[in-house]
Each structure stands twice: as C-alpha cells, then as structure tokens.
Amino acid sequence: MMNPKLRGIVYATAAASMVSACGADDVASPGEGNIVVVNPPAAPAPPPPPTTPPPPPSGTPATDCPTGTANVGTVTTGNGQTARNCQVSGVITGNLVLPNRGDTELTVYSLSGAVEVGVDGGANGVLTIEAGNVLFGSSGGDFLLVNRGSQLFAEGTATAPIIMTSRQNLEGTTGVDSIGQWGGVVILGQAPISDCATGGASNPGGTRTDCEAIVEGPSNAVYGGTSPADSSGRLSYVQVRYPGFEVSPGNELNGITLAGVGSGTFFQNIQVHNSSDDGIEWFGGRVNGKNIALTGIDDDSVDSDSGYQGANQFVLAVQRPNGGDKVMEADSNGDEDAEPRQRHQLANITFVSNGGDEVAHLRGGGDYEFYNAVFTGPDQCINIDGTATMQAANAAIDENGPPVFQSTFLSCGTDFEDDGNIAVADITAVFDAGTNNTRGGTSSLVAGAWPLAFINGANENGVTAFAASSANAFFEDVAYIGAVQDANDTRFQGWTCGLYAADPACTAAPNIG
C-alpha cells in the first residue's frame, strides 16, 4: 500500500523517471513489432475448388487484425501455437471490441504502453473483450487503465476465461516465482472516497472537485466522485497473471486496482496470480465482489483503504511458498475520522499465510467485519492498530464500532499480535464477542494442486456457519465457513489456474482460440 501522505502527489513525471532511472528497455514496452515473425508450415494444397477457396486450416494464425488494433506479426506460444499478434495502444474512445476468432483464426492481443479507455472529463470509451481471449504485456510499462466515465466489459465463461498475462507466460518461460512481468489493470470510477488530493480532511459523500485523488501507479490518473452506484462495466471469469510494477519508490501498479469504483460495476469470478504488488487494492468506492482467488501474491493479497465500503464473499487468498507479505491489509488516511468511513465486509474467506507477516492487519479507523472466515499461518493471525479502529459505534461519523468476527476459525502460531498499539487482551475481547469463533485451532485444510492447503477439512467444517445475509443482502447464506467447503466444491475449478490438478498450471502458456 502506498504511504497515504503521498497519495495527493501528482506523478506527472513518472514515465520519464522510469526511463531515466532504468533505461528504456527496462520500462517502456519494446513494442510488439519486435516479436520474431514465425510463419506456419504451408498448408497442403486443397482440392481444386469450383469458385470458393476452403476455410483456413484449424490452428493457423489469422491473416489480419480487427479494426482498432494493429497487425504486428505473429507470436509463437510455449505450447506451439502460432497466432496473429494484434496490438492495442493509445487511448480508446468510442467502442472497441476484441473478438475471439476461434481456433481457425488464432489471434492474441498485446498491450503497448499505457492503454487507456476514455479520457477523464473528456470522450468516453468502451472496451469489450470476448470470452476466451488472451491479452499480454511485455513489460511493466504495459497496462490497461479505464478512466472515469468509461467502461470495460471483460466477460469470460467458466470454460473460456479471459486471460491477461505476460509475454513470458505466453511464451512458456515463467516459473513458480515469476512476478511483475507487466503492469496490470487499473479501473477508475466516480464513487465516493475519503482520501482527497484537495479539500478538507472530512468530506461526507465527497464531491468530484472536492474529494478526488491521483491513483497509485499511473501518472495523473484521477478517481473519486459523487456517484455511489457508478458503473465501470463488468468483469467475470478473468485471470490476471504475473502483473505488478514499481513505477517509482512507493508507487506501484497492483494486479487489479479498483479506485472509486461504484456498486453498479459487476466484479465476480476473478483470479490474480503472482502480482509483485497487491493482488487487488480497493481505493474507496462501493463495488462488491464474489468468487475471488488471489494466489502467489508478493505483497498483500487483499488491500482496502481510502473509505472503501463494500462486501466480498468467497475470497480465497493463498500465498506461495517463496513470497507474500500480509494476506490482508486495511487502512485509511492520516485522519482516522475522515468520511466516508471505511467499511469492508467479508464472508466465506480462506486466508492462508506462509509467514510473510500476520494474516490480517486492520487499522486506519475503519469498520471491518468477518463472517465464516478461516485464517491460518505460522505467525500471527490478527493485528489491530488504532483506537479509532476499536472504538464504539458513532452514528455522527458513520462508525459501526470495533471489528466484527462471527464463525471465524483461527489456526496460527499466535492468535493476536501486540505491536505496542492495541493490547492482545483488547483484541481477544473483541474476537470473543462474536459467536462460534475459535482461537488456537488446529488447521485441517487439505491441498489441491497448490503447494499450500486451502480446502476445508473436518475442523473447519465443524464450525457452525453464520447467516451472512443478515449483515449484508449481497451475501449468500451457506452451511460452511471458508471459501472452499470440501473436495467436491467446484466454485474455483475450471476457470482458475494452478489450484486443481485438472486445471492448467499458471506457469503453462495459455491456449489461444
């Protein structure tokens, strides 16, 4: 998470500083035109047609690119496919559709530099990515950004997810610890936030001119506004592999950044894998989400701040053996009474730490609620900081009180951490105020294909589940805690990578077509 004191700074020279500090080859995309063109073997001569030639043979690259993209040759993947490389660059205004052209016209889409959808305060854009498509970036300077007022429609299916990944992954050269090979996805909306670049410390509801901020990562990209139900489009069945990039010290691109994104945005069935920064970070906004898998993240898997008010259910966050910081970090800005006050509600979550740090760090004067949760790891489960985070409800500042835990199972080296802020006894009292909570439990999680176990065992399934819909109508009521009930639970199977033996490994080159 970026230092809150820096969020108001405009990173107007970020791109130039990257080039001067690292060299053009380290930062800017080398341009997909440099991909070596590999021509497929010549097809056998067809029988003499009367008038119409036969369709192209299955599995050959398309001969051209869709309108709005540039033909920059072909690329050969790690699984031996050769596809037409259609490059997307610049600013998208109007409607651009990236079609899936099937396995008879193999097409892959590449991002060149910062690809922006729409212009903030100017012309809007809509980008539609059809199911089963593969998009890739070649460096940290390649990323997709949706500006306020514009939309992204990236809707895969359970059997044909959309895969956004790195060129290295496409070519089959990534390993289990590869991270930060392209920029990632940034979505900016017009919903309320609390951390403002201008205006006072408290901004109830915010205004577009009084409570807006520059987002972490891109240069001069603005988020926040007065439309809680704002829609930035629809994302479903999407994998984001190997993203993240440090633009400048303390200023990084996450796997997916949701900044000021409104509740009208559909966000479900999402996987972020091996991001060098956070998996998903919510900066304010009101967007809800379900079925979220965060695997191998090198920083925090779940990160919320800046007055985010939203609900997330069925969240599986599992660190990899050789990486990861906190599984969840929650914060706000320096003024713990800033409004809108943060309220992050989570139900049916499984957070698996590998010891990078505590499982969950809650601070910043926000309201945090956990229902049907499983926390496990070798170190501390929960660290709570700040008297404002622990104080009683106060309707005057939209405060709901100290963190809430219901049907939460802790199996860590230590349940709670006292780092000189909130005492363990006080955290224990808050935790014990809930029902069906377990301290000092023994994990019985079992593994799929992932090296760390994440599927409920007998101990987790022995906990009585809480009716989460009583806390938020967005939540479904289920009869189990955690994100994955047992080996027969197929919620994350088929559309993710690396979790189950029947699904592709994340290191494997994705199939095109």
Side-chain angles (χ1 to χ4, degrees):
M1 178 186 300
M2 182 182 177
N3 186 327
K5 293 181 180 179
L6 299 178
R7 288 197 183 104
I9 298 174
V10 177
Y11 294 99
T13 60
S17 65
M18 284 192 297
V19 174
S20 61
C22 303
D25 290 339
D26 294 331
V27 177
S29 170
E32 301 313 327
N34 292 334
I35 294 177
V36 176
V37 176
V38 180
N39 292 320
T51 53
T52 307
S58 177
T60 58
T63 58
D64 59 6
C65 286
T67 300
T69 68
N71 183 348
V72 290
T74 60
V75 57
T76 297
T77 72
N79 56 23
Q81 291 180 295
T82 299
R84 181 63 51 192
N85 182 10
C86 298
Q87 187 181 85
V88 186
S89 61
V91 178
I92 298 168
T93 57
N95 296 321
L96 176 62
V97 177
L98 302 183
N100 185 333
R101 304 162 95 186
D103 59 7
T104 59
E105 293 185 83
L106 296 180
T107 303
V108 65
Y109 297 97
S110 57
L111 302 174
S112 178
V115 176
E116 298 193 35
V117 183
V119 177
D120 186 69
N124 293 336
V126 177
L127 173 62
T128 300
I129 305 171
E130 293 188 351
N133 267 325
V134 176
L135 286 76
F136 73 94
S138 295
S139 77
D142 301 331
F143 60 90
L144 178 63
L145 183 147
V146 181
N147 279 304
R148 293 187 296 184
S150 295
Q151 294 181 308
L152 170 65
F153 291 90
E155 295 185 88
T157 67
T159 56
I162 293 167
I163 299 176
M164 302 183 184
T165 191
S166 66
R167 178 176 174 177
Q168 294 95 318
N169 184 223
L170 186 67
E171 295 176 336
T173 62
T174 52
V176 294
D177 291 320
S178 297
I179 57 174
Q181 295 182 333
W182 68 290
V185 180
V186 180
I187 303 177
L188 310 176
Q190 301 175 105
I193 66 172
S194 64
D195 295 12
C196 307
T198 60
S202 284
N203 293 270
T207 68
R208 178 152 183 165
T209 57
D210 186 44
C211 199
E212 58 186 19
I214 304 297
V215 75
E216 186 175 294
S219 174
N220 297 326
V222 182
Y223 69 98
T226 58
S227 303
D230 186 40
S231 173
S232 295
R234 296 177 63 90
L235 283 80
S236 185
Y237 295 110
V238 174
Q239 294 178 23
V240 178
R241 303 184 189 178
Y242 307 103
F245 184 69
E246 186 176 55
V247 175
S248 59
N251 181 35
E252 299 145 332
L253 288 162
N254 303 297
I256 298 178
T257 298
L258 301 174
V261 175
S263 62
T265 306
F266 187 87
F267 189 78
Q268 296 190 18
N269 311 306
I270 307 294
Q271 180 181 21
V272 179
H273 177 74
N274 277 35
S275 173
S276 65
D277 196 47
D278 298 332
I280 299 176
E281 184 162 7
W282 292 261
F283 292 93
R286 298 290 185 270
V287 61
N288 300 319
K290 283 182 182 174
N291 304 335
I292 298 171
L294 304 165
T295 51
I297 307 304
D298 203 52
D299 196 3
D300 310 315
S301 295
V302 173
D303 197 338
S304 61
D305 48 39
S306 303
Y308 171 61
Q309 294 183 0
N312 294 279
Q313 188 175 25
F314 307 113
V315 181
L316 177 62
V318 192
Q319 293 179 334
R320 68 182 186 280
N322 301 318
D325 190 17
K326 301 174 179 69
V327 179
M328 177 178 178
E329 184 176 46
D331 202 353
S332 193
N333 67 0
D335 180 355
E336 293 187 341
D337 291 329
E339 298 180 38
R341 183 178 169 88
Q342 182 150 308
R343 186 181 186 185
H344 196 170
Q345 299 175 290
L346 298 108
N348 292 94
I349 63 173
T350 298
F351 286 174
V352 181
S353 169
N354 191 44
D357 212 326
E358 63 263 36
V359 176
H361 191 181
L362 311 177
R363 58 189 179 183
D367 294 318
Y368 309 107
E369 301 167 36
F370 299 89
Y371 305 100
N372 304 327
V374 174
F375 291 175
T376 188
D379 295 327
Q380 304 86 10
C381 266
I382 300 170
N383 180 13
I384 300 177
D385 286 344
T387 56
T389 311
M390 293 285 284
Q391 66 193 16
N394 183 347
I397 59 171
D398 193 27
E399 182 177 52
N400 291 281
V404 172
F405 300 92
Q406 300 283 3
S407 299
T408 296
F409 186 90
L410 305 183
S411 55
C412 298
T414 304
D415 291 324
F416 309 118
E417 178 179 6
D418 181 357
D419 57 2
N421 199 300
I422 302 299
V424 165
D426 294 331
I427 302 175
T428 302
V430 166
F431 186 82
D432 288 350
T435 57
N436 299 315
N437 292 333
T438 300
R439 292 188 278 114
T442 299
S443 175
S444 61
L445 295 175
V446 297
W450 192 261
L452 299 182
F454 61 89
I455 300 169
N456 280 3
N459 292 345
E460 291 79 17
N461 283 330
V463 177
T464 301
F466 182 82
S469 67
S470 63
N472 191 315
F474 176 77
F475 291 142
E476 303 171 26
D477 289 330
V478 294
Y480 59 92
I481 70 170
V484 184
Q485 181 177 17
D486 53 34
N488 297 315
D489 186 342
T490 61
R491 180 176 301 278
F492 294 99
Q493 293 186 35
W495 59 271
T496 58
C497 65
L499 287 170
Y500 298 93
D503 293 333
C506 297
T507 53
N511 285 326
I512 300 171

